[in-house]
Amino acid sequence: MCGIVGYIGTQDVTSILMSGLKRLEYRGYDSAGVAVIEKNELSVIKTVGKLTNLGNKLKERTPHGHIGIGHTRWATHGRPSDVNSHPHQGISKEFAVVHNGIIENYLELKEWLVKEKGHKFHSETDTEVIAHLVEEFYEGDLIEAVRKTLAKVCGSYAIGVIALKEPDKLVAARKDSPLIVGLGKDENFIASDIPAILNYTRDVYLIEDGEVVEVTRNRVKILDADNNLVKRDIFRVEWDAEAAEKGGYEHFMLKEICEQPEAFKKTLSGRIIDGKVKLNELNFTKEQVEKWKKVFVVACGTAYHSGLIGKPLIEDFLKIPVEVDIASEFRYREPLLNEDTLAVFISQSGETADTLAALREARAKGATTLAITNVVGSTISREADYTIYLWAGPEIAVASTKAYTTMLIAQYLLSIYLAQVKGTMPEEKEAKILKALQELPCKAEEILEQKEKYLRLAENMKEAEHVFFIGRGYDYNIAQEGSLKLKEISYIHAEAYAAGELKHGTLALVTEETPVIAIALQEKTYEKTLSNVKEVTARDAYVIGLANEGDQEILKTVNEAIYIPKIENIVSPILAVIPLQLLSYYAACVRGCNVDQPRNLAKSVTVE
Ligand code: AGP
C-alpha cells in the first residue's frame, strides 16, 4: 500500500524523506514523490516508477529545506503516472498533500470544487481533492483547514500536509490507514510505519482514528475528533532497523523463511508453562467461554488460510462450530453474530482494510473480538477486545511466510487455552500437542538445512504453466497456502484442490505437462490421498509427494517425494508449509521474478 513520510527539524529534509521512503518500499508501490519547503518556495518532485527514478529527478534539482513530506503510491484511483503521483497540490501550489487510503466521495467533492469554486484538477486521483479542499478552507490556520477538509471526506486516509504560509509545522491525520509520529531531539517525523523512521528515533506516538496531529520541530499536538488535546504515551520501539534489513540473505522472503525456528520460539515464549497454555493477554472466565455458541475466524489471503487450520482445532477442542470467512465476503453477507459469538480476526499487518471492516461489523453486533496480529500497536490490535501477538518480528516480503506459521502456532495455543478454560481439553492430547509445538524450532531447522534441494525441484518446475496442489483435511489447507505462495511470487498458475475433488472436473486439466504436489501427511486420510494420486499419475502427470520422514510407501505411487521430520501428526501442518515456501521462493528466483515485491501486490492491503 501507499507509504507516507514527513520531517520537520534542523537536518536537510530531502535525504531523510528518501531514506524513509526506501524503508517503506516493501509496502509495494508504483510511483513516488516529495514536497519540500525551501525559503519561500514549495517544491514538488514526483515521478512514476521506483525510488531510483525519483532519485534521478532529485539529482537534477535537489530542494534544500527543513520541512517536507514524501510518498510511495500504490495506485487505486488513476493509473500509475507522473501526474497521478503524490504529493498533490491545489491551484495556488502553496499546499502539498500526501495520502494513503481512498476518498470514496471524491467525485462529488471534485464536482463541487470545479463547478462552485472554480478549481482546476490535473490528476485522476481521489487524493488531489484533499489538496484543493485544504486550499479552499484555508483562512490562516492550517489545522482548521485540514479539519474542515476531513469533515467533508468519506473513506480512509492517513495524510501529511504542509503549507508555504506555515513553514514551521506539518499537519497529519488518520482514519483507517496507519500513521505514527516519530519523536526526535529538535526534530519530529510522521510515517505510515515504524521502519521509515527507525534510523532516527525509537520513540513514537501511535495515532488513532479521527485524530489530527500538529507537528513542529519541538512539539507534537494530538487532537481528537472534538479538537481536544490528547495525552498519548510514548511507544518505545524495541526491534532494530537491522531486523528489518535482509541480514545477509538475498531476499527478505528467504530471510523470513529461515527465521521461522527463531520466530516459533518467540511465539511460544512464555506461553507454555508447566504443561499448560498461558496467554497473559486473555483473561476469559469459564462462564465467558461456555457462553460462546459459535466462533468465526475472519481474514484475507494467507491469514485466511491459517484460519482454515484453526477451524478443526477449535471445533475439536471446544466442541462448538467454527466458520472461517474471507473478510471481504464476511462483511457483506449479514453474518449472524451476537453476544454468544467469539470472532477471531487474523492479520499480519493489522491494517488490512477488509479485515478491519469485518472486525468493526462484528463489534457492532456484540461479538467478542480477538485479533491475532504481528504488528504491535496496529489498528486491529487497538480495535479488537483482545489481541494475541505473533512476536514473529517484522515481515517485509510481500509473500507471508513466518507470519503464516506463527499464526498457526497462535491458533493451536488459543484453541488449547480456550478448551483448558472450558474444561474440554483432554489432558493426554494437550500434552502431546504442547510437546510437539516445543519441538517445532528444531524440526523446522532440519528442513531449512536442506533448503537447496528445493532449488532443483524449482528448476524442474520452471517452465510449468499450471501446477496443482492436492491433499485432504489439513493437507488440503496446506495445499491452499502452498498454491498461493507459488502463484503470487513465481507467477506460475497454481491451484489447490481437495484430493477427492479432482475427479469431479479439474482432472480434465491434468496432463503430462502438469506437475502435481500431493500432500500426504495426515494419517487418517493417507490411503485415500494415495488413491487420488493414482488418478493423477494415470494421466502421466509428474507427482511430487510431501510425506512424513521414513515413508517409503509413497514412493510406489509418486514420481519423487520430499519429506518433513516426523512430528505429532496434528502439528505437522506447521512444518508441511516450509518445503512449499522454499519451492515457491526458488521457483520465483529461477524465473527471475521480483521475489520480495511481486507485481501488482502490496504487503498490506489497506484499501477495500
Ligand atoms: C500472502 O502471501 C499475501 N501477502 C496476502 O495474501 C496477505 O496474507 C493478505 O493480504 C492478508 O494480509 P494481513 O495478514 O496483513 O491482513
Side-chain angles (χ1 to χ4, degrees), residues 300-303 346-350 352 398-400 407 484-485 488 605:
C300 300
T302 285
I346 308 172
S347 173
Q348 188 285 132
S349 62
T352 298
V398 166
S400 187
M407 285 169 186
L484 176 62
K485 280 285 111 20
E488 75 172 316
V605 184

Side-chain angles (χ1 to χ4, degrees), residues 333-457:
R333 64 174 189 78
E334 299 297 320
L336 298 174
L337 293 94
N338 54 35
E339 292 69 28
D340 296 345
T341 310
L342 170 65
V344 179
F345 298 88
I346 308 172
S347 173
Q348 188 285 132
S349 62
E351 303 299 343
T352 298
D354 287 322
T355 310
L356 287 172
L359 165 62
R360 290 162 189 155
E361 170 98 7
R363 282 189 66 119
K365 295 193 170 182
T368 301
T369 56
L370 188 154
I372 296 176
T373 186
N374 192 37
V375 179
V376 178
S378 58
T379 303
I380 202 168
S381 68
R382 284 181 269 143
E383 296 198 10
D385 298 319
Y386 302 89
T387 296
I388 294 175
Y389 285 116
L390 300 176
W391 302 123
E395 185 177 75
I396 308 296
V398 166
S400 187
T401 51
K402 65 177 181 175
Y404 172 74
T405 44
T406 50
M407 285 169 186
L408 295 185
I409 293 175
Q411 292 175 79
Y412 280 81
L413 292 171
L414 174 63
S415 50
I416 292 172
Y417 168 81
L418 294 174
Q420 266 174 204
V421 173
K422 190 174 182 181
T424 55
M425 188 69 210
E427 295 265 325
E428 190 188 335
K429 190 172 209 176
E430 177 175 23
K432 272 200 283 191
I433 295 172
L434 295 185
K435 177 176 176 293
L437 289 176
Q438 291 169 306
E439 292 168 355
L440 281 170
C442 293
K443 304 273 185 187
E445 207 59 77
E446 287 177 42
I447 299 172
L448 294 167
E449 277 158 14
Q450 304 174 37
K451 61 179 176 291
E452 275 72 24
K453 78 177 179 186
Y454 297 95
L455 176 56
R456 178 187 57 76
L457 277 179

